[in-house]
Amino acid sequence: MSTRKKIGISALIVVALTLLGLGVYVGYFAVGHRALPGTYVGNVKVAGLTQDEIKQRLALANDSKVNISGTGVNTTSATLTDMGFSFNPDELASKAMSANGVWWKYATTLFNTTTVQPALQTDNDAASAFAAKLTKGNSAAVAPVNPCLEFNGEKFVIKRGTDGKGVSVTSLIEPAHQLVSTLSNVDFTATIAPISPLVKEADLQAKLDAANKLIAPEVTIKANDETATASAADKAKWVNVSATQPSLNMDAVKAWVQAQGNKFNVAGVTGVRLVDHTGKLLKVKTEAVAGSKVENVDQVVTTLQKNLTAGSPTHATFTITTTEMKWTEKKVAVGAENLPYLASEGERWVDINLSTNRVRAYEGATLVYDFPMIDGAPSTPTIQGEFAVYSKLTTQDMRGRNADGSPYMTPGVPWVMYFTGDYATHGSSAWRSAWGYDAGAGGSHGCVNMSNDDAHTLWEWASIGTPVISHS
């Protein structure tokens, strides 16, 4: 074989081997979807790793901490999350793989490096709170106050922030970035220095404009002959300005609309007619009242949300429906027509007659008990009207004031039955002779005093809700 042929064969072998090597190289990184040689995320080499493997490697940053110390600073070890910082491992892994789509980089990365620098996101509130903890207890440290939006009674304005003194959030970005770049713990010496607010007033201008745009449109709701108009202060309560962008708090919007609608929501009252056994009307005890209800609150709220978002005025109208008046009839017991209370058959009720100084218990028109009693003195008379038993006590120490203002206290008053306010029927250990009064002579502080036995009998007979009629 000639020398020329040998050289030709050798060249072909070299080319073949080169192409084979190139194919293996491209296949490993391109087909295998692995980061090209010389690829770094920060200081971390990720060459040869798949995108998922890069993300897993970067997740180690969550296990690392920044060890913070310094003069006047509370020594602390904190994770990125503790410090108010975060990063996007998906985004970093994707950027590390981006060179795979450029053919000529398969050659250049053999001789050069590609570094993807981690980008940190800052939660201003969390980072500021963490920075403040570093100097907690140090009287020389004062947290800065960010400017914010506030309502001045007419519109939203920017409330100026104030400078502070302590460890700045911006100084903490460097060790946080180093932690992500190395995936290892970082030692950092913090210093106390003047701090400016993280948020600048100029940064809030767009937010201010958006907030005032939301409260600018006129809002009225008409119902019958009345019109409710939302004031600027009302509308300011509908806007959430604590978020990055102002937004409508629809719960607050609905609460305002509902409050306007409630003015026209009237619960109907079922009337009560008292009739005798023949059906003849004796008395209207309760007049029937028709109710009304606003039916389209949700529709008004939806319209209001749409218009406020668009910057358009809202002139809505409530749809009000009226309910039919309802009546019930109560048949009065035979013989009760001329009694102080028109009771139904068998209904228990108590008659306190201040003219005869008697307490009578009835079931319908039938007299069951008839007791003597002492009513209130002229300076402290017993109340008159139609009431009902609302509380029963077996015994009670009664306290109050005499007509002249002096205090009194009667211990162990038995069988107390309240029918309105502080007025009650009850027994007394000071009955009759000890008081110097006989039944029929007014002398109580307004309650209806009875003998212990009579008060006990009435207490056992009556129940909560039993009608009590007091009259002269």
Side-chain angles (χ1 to χ4, degrees), residues 22-36 50 97 100-101 106:
L22 182 60
V24 171
Y25 169 72
V26 173
Y28 180 77
F29 290 100
V31 180
H33 301 289
R34 298 178 181 275
L36 295 178
T50 65
M97 297 295 299
N100 289 50
Y106 283 85

Side-chain angles (χ1 to χ4, degrees), residues 9 15 19 37 44 125 130 145 149 175 215 233 276 290 297 336 408 412 461:
I9 292 172
V15 171
L19 291 174
V44 179
D125 291 337
F130 174 77
V145 177
L149 300 191
I215 67 172
D276 66 12
V297 167
Y408 72 85
W461 177 83

